Amino acid sequence: MAQVQVVAKLDSAVILIGQQVNLKLDVTAPKGANVVFPTYERSQYITPGVEVISQKEEKPVEVDGAEKRSKTYVLTSFDEKIYGIKGLNVSVNGKKYVPDMVALKVITMDVDTLHPEKFFPPKDVQDNPFEWSEWAPLFWCAFVVALLAAVLFYLVVRLKQNKPIITRIRIIKKVPPHQKALNAIDKLKREKMAASEDQKAYYTMLTDTLRQYIQERFGFNAKEMTSAEILQHLHETGDRDMLDELTELFQTADLVKFAKYSTLLNENDLNLVNAVNFIDKTKLENVPTEEKIVPKLSDDDKRSRNSRIAIKSIIAAVCVAITVLVVYVAYHIYLLTI
């Protein structure tokens, strides 16, 4: 079994009157041993003339298979003398152990009693005069802060009264001209209009679909033109894809609508196929399917928006100025009061 060792040591052997010194009591004992350190009340004498200010026990530390326990006592003294500190009884598993005595020397300051004229009594509390020059800049800065705060309040009220201009960009889905035309023709197919007895209605719907497509695709007012004018315009502008088939389709449609011409079923189907082929041949690829519509602001709206931007900018500048001035005033008041 490890032997029990008790050691007392001071961190300084000499102190001035009223100074503090640490007395550390180290106990090395077997692990798990019951160690009881001496305990003192605050201002209790550890030895006559030396007071205990505070005490603190530290956590055990393992040392060479044993445990080292420590407790520190903060001491002070107000009498000049050399003190021998002894009798620190430590109990380990019920057995008393006493460390070697430690010496503490307490000294006082040297006082020149031969020259008492060098000593001065305490000075009275001084009443420092009020200097307006010291406080004037702070006063005027505070006055400017108050004015800026009033301006800030006025601007905030103005900003609330001046309602914001909100512009919403609308995105509209666009169906390409060829897709709209093909959808209309698919509707004709589903309703079996080609086999219908009402051939005038069938050709009217078919040619109206082609006119709408030609107007949107080629950019001229085909809906207000005759069949011959449409064909002539396409011929002059160089858009001649399937012009012969389109000519035959429009001629047949005019005969049905205006001359009560009766067509055969295969002739109706052929004209329908020619219309689809014409659309496929002349359609534009990679046509955008979305369109952004940005609302235009009126002059009054633009002025209102610019006014809000200006007010917000001034508010930001005023807030910065107030912050800077407040920090400046607070700092200099602190310097004047310390």
Side-chain angles (χ1 to χ4, degrees), residues 124-286:
D124 294 333
V125 177
Q126 295 184 359
D127 185 14
N128 294 324
F130 176 83
E131 296 290 342
W132 171 250
S133 59
E134 294 179 346
W135 291 89
L138 305 182
F139 172 80
W140 291 115
C141 285
F143 180 73
V144 172
V145 168
L147 287 179
L148 290 176
V151 172
L152 181 63
F153 176 77
Y154 170 75
L155 291 174
V156 170
V157 172
R158 282 289 307 274
L159 188 64
K160 288 183 178 180
Q161 292 175 347
N162 192 1
K163 295 182 180 180
I165 303 299
I166 301 175
T167 56
R168 291 185 175 88
I169 299 176
R170 292 186 300 157
I171 299 178
I172 298 178
K173 298 289 184 180
K174 289 184 63 176
V175 180
H178 68 273
Q179 191 61 54
K180 287 195 290 186
L182 292 176
N183 291 340
I185 291 175
D186 286 340
K187 184 178 179 181
L188 287 178
K189 290 180 181 179
R190 289 195 303 270
E191 295 177 356
K192 298 180 180 180
M193 293 293 295
S196 172
E197 295 181 358
D198 191 357
Q199 294 184 356
K200 182 177 179 180
Y202 167 70
Y203 277 98
T204 298
M205 294 175 65
L206 182 60
T207 54
D208 285 348
T209 298
L210 284 173
R211 288 172 184 272
Q212 181 70 30
Y213 168 73
I214 291 170
Q215 179 170 314
E216 294 180 3
R217 165 63 181 82
F218 296 100
F220 60 89
N221 193 9
K223 295 176 71 174
E224 302 298 328
M225 293 182 177
T226 63
S227 300
E229 289 173 340
I230 293 173
L231 296 170
Q232 181 65 26
H233 199 286
L234 290 174
H235 187 273
E236 291 175 353
T237 55
D239 298 308
R240 300 173 184 174
D241 290 335
M242 296 197 63
L243 202 57
D244 293 338
E245 291 82 353
L246 192 62
T247 300
E248 182 178 349
L249 188 156
F250 275 121
Q251 287 177 349
T252 302
D254 289 342
L255 289 173
V256 170
K257 290 189 288 183
F258 303 115
K260 297 183 180 180
Y261 173 72
S262 296
T263 60
L264 299 176
L265 179 60
N266 60 349
E267 190 176 1
N268 294 340
D269 291 337
L270 179 61
N271 286 325
L272 187 67
V273 171
N274 287 338
V276 172
N277 290 337
F278 172 75
I279 294 171
D280 284 336
K281 288 277 188 179
T282 58
K283 69 181 180 180
L284 293 175
E285 300 291 346
N286 300 323

